[in-house]
């Protein structure tokens, strides 16, 4: 990982994360939903919660939860169909505010982004003041709340943005960074999913302090190319740069189920949040994809992939959902349980004018 070549000073990185973004947009646009538990997603048996308002979260409702489970936890829950064209338009408003401060913007999805403000367009020295200004401008322009984390690297900025949610911000200084990391459970680390956390627990790594105590060779042996990254973040070190306007070769998401899946319906429910994650990344970055790959890992760790390439860039999340269903359906019935599913988009390119106009169309 490269060191920052632009300055020898500590970097100033802000992670901005919109609060319950989809649900907040719906409450903003429909006053009847304000103050009520709202879930964006499908209410049908196969539906999945894409986002939950803070009123719904009090009942234990969260994103990626099957809709039937969410309704059971909160009988008064109001389901609203997603409007991705609206979310994308609001995201562009927010991006314009970021651009007033720095060109170093790396979107992660429609509702969050990293900003490197070490050298910024306003000549402001204090990153916390920049974050405060940005959040105020977002509120004024969109009526929505944002939270922010400020630190000297991306990992800690991301972690800090969760500390005072909703509608708050936090800073982690170079002095406090290592101690902050060592006091956290590893399952709370950004980039450590359930499967990795489970593996770390088996190796006796429960906290950042436990991770700090492991040698680099040990981490490489057990976690491969992620070993050096884990070794660094345990010490509050993350040299990954904020990379604006980059087109990745692919974007993917995967998840390990708490229990093996044996039927199509729970598999389809489980993969929906992954579809929304990769689609959100592409929308936030103005990227189109032509190839969809489904990854399936069985209970015995055998792994298969299935892919489909279309002639034109995917124009809507519903088209992506259709292709994923097309790839997923034929693997059933299964002879053994499925422990992991993943979705990857590749053949990525900047969205053409034609594709952009298609993406702007409302969902049918």
């Amino acid at each position: 990982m490269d060191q920052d070549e632009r300055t020898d000073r500590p970097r100033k990185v802000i992670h901005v994360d919109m609060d319950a973004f989809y649900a907040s947009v719906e409450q903003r646009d429909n006053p009847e939903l304000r103050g009520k538990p709202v879930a964006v997603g499908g209410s049908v048996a196969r539906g999945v919660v894409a986002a939950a308002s803070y009123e719904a979260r009090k009942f234990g409702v969260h994103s990626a939860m099957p809709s039937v489970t969410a309704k059971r936890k909160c009988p008064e829950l109001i389901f609203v169909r997603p409007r991705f064209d609206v979310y994308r338009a609001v995201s562009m408003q927010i991006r314009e505010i970021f651009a007033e401060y720095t060109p170093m913007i790396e979107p992660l999805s429609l509702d969050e982004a990293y900003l490197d403000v070490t050298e910024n367009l306003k000549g402001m020295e204090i990153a916390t003041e920049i974050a405060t200004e940005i959040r105020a401008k977002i509120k004024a322009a969109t009526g929505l709340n944002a939270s922010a984390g400020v630190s000297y690297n991306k990992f800690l900025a991301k972690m800090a943005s969760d500390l005072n949610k909703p509608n708050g911000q936090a800073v982690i200084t170079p002095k406090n960074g290592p101690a902050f990391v060592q006091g956290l459970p590893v399952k709370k680390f950004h980039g450590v999913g359930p499967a990795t956390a489970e593996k770390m627990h088996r190796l006796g790594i429960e906290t950042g302090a436990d991770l700090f105590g492991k040698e680099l060779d040990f981490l490489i042996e057990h976690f491969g190319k992620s070993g050096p990254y884990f070794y660094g973040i345990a010490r509050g070190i993350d040299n990954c740069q904020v990379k604006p306007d980059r087109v990745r070769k692919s974007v993917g998401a995967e998840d390990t189920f708490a229990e093996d899946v044996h039927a199509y319906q729970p598999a389809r429910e489980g993969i929906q949040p992954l579809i929304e994650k990769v689609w959100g990344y592409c929308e936030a970055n103005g990227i189109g994809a032509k190839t969809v790959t489904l990854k399936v890992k069985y209970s015995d760790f055998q792994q298969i992939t299935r892919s489909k390439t279309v002639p034109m860039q995917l124009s809507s999340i519903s088209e992506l959902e259709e292709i994923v269903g097309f790839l997923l359906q034929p693997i059933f019935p299964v002879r053994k349980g499925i422990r992991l599913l993943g979705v990857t988009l590749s053949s990525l390119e900047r969205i053409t004018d034609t594709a952009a106009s298609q993406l702007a169309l409302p969902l049918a």
Side-chain angles (χ1 to χ4, degrees), residues 69-245:
T69 304
K71 192 70 173 178
R72 188 165 58 247
K73 287 179 173 288
C74 180
E76 302 301 316
L77 190 63
I78 301 170
F79 284 92
V80 179
R81 193 167 182 269
R83 298 181 298 154
F84 288 101
D85 55 323
V86 176
Y87 309 148
R88 184 169 183 265
V90 177
S91 181
M92 291 302 104
Q93 281 184 278
I94 296 167
R95 188 85 60 83
E96 289 173 2
I97 294 170
F98 295 161
E100 295 177 19
Y101 293 84
T102 177
M104 301 293 289
I105 305 164
E106 182 181 340
L108 300 179
S109 61
L110 292 178
D111 63 341
E112 61 176 319
Y114 291 111
L115 287 69
D116 188 327
V117 296
T118 310
E119 297 173 359
N120 60 84
L121 300 175
K122 301 280 190 178
M124 298 173 68
E125 287 295 324
I126 302 175
T128 53
E129 292 181 359
I130 297 175
T132 299
E133 274 196 21
I134 287 174
R135 291 174 51 238
K137 286 191 175 185
I138 290 173
K139 181 70 172 182
T142 69
L144 303 172
N145 292 327
S147 293
V150 182
S151 196
Y152 57 97
N153 63 44
K154 290 169 70 174
F155 173 76
L156 288 172
K158 171 73 172 176
M159 300 301 297
S161 66
D162 282 333
L163 293 179
N164 291 320
K165 270 186 166 290
N167 195 28
Q169 67 183 55
V171 60
I172 299 175
T173 65
K175 180 179 178 181
N176 298 333
F180 172 81
V181 173
Q182 290 174 36
L184 280 181
V186 291
K187 65 182 180 181
K188 297 285 189 181
F189 283 17
H190 173 59
V192 175
T196 302
E198 179 184 340
K199 183 174 181 179
M200 286 186 174
H201 292 165
R202 290 198 303 268
L203 294 168
I205 303 171
E206 298 281 347
T207 67
D210 296 331
L211 189 61
F212 180 88
K214 300 299 182 183
E215 297 292 337
L216 177 59
D217 289 346
F218 175 91
L219 295 176
I220 292 174
E221 177 187 352
H222 291 281
F223 299 101
K225 63 183 180 181
S226 297
Y229 174 73
F230 293 146
Y231 184 84
I233 62 173
R235 289 156 175 77
I237 298 169
D238 174 17
N239 292 321
C240 295
Q241 304 299 300
V242 173
K243 297 180 180 178
D245 298 324

Side-chain angles (χ1 to χ4, degrees), residues 35-90:
K36 297 179 180 178
V38 174
V40 176
S43 60
V44 295
R46 278 174 46 190
V48 175
V49 175
S53 68
Y54 281 95
E55 296 85 354
R57 294 182 188 188
K58 293 177 182 177
F59 292 87
V61 177
H62 56 77
S63 61
M65 176 178 284
S67 298
V68 289
T69 304
K71 192 70 173 178
R72 188 165 58 247
K73 287 179 173 288
C74 180
E76 302 301 316
L77 190 63
I78 301 170
F79 284 92
V80 179
R81 193 167 182 269
R83 298 181 298 154
F84 288 101
D85 55 323
V86 176
Y87 309 148
R88 184 169 183 265
V90 177

Side-chain angles (χ1 to χ4, degrees), residues 285-303:
N285 289 276
I287 293 170
K290 294 180 180 179
T291 300
V292 181
T293 301
L294 171 72
K295 176 181 177 180
V296 181
K297 185 179 289 186
Y298 293 101
S299 55
D300 61 358
F301 290 88
Q302 179 193 1
Q303 181 175 306

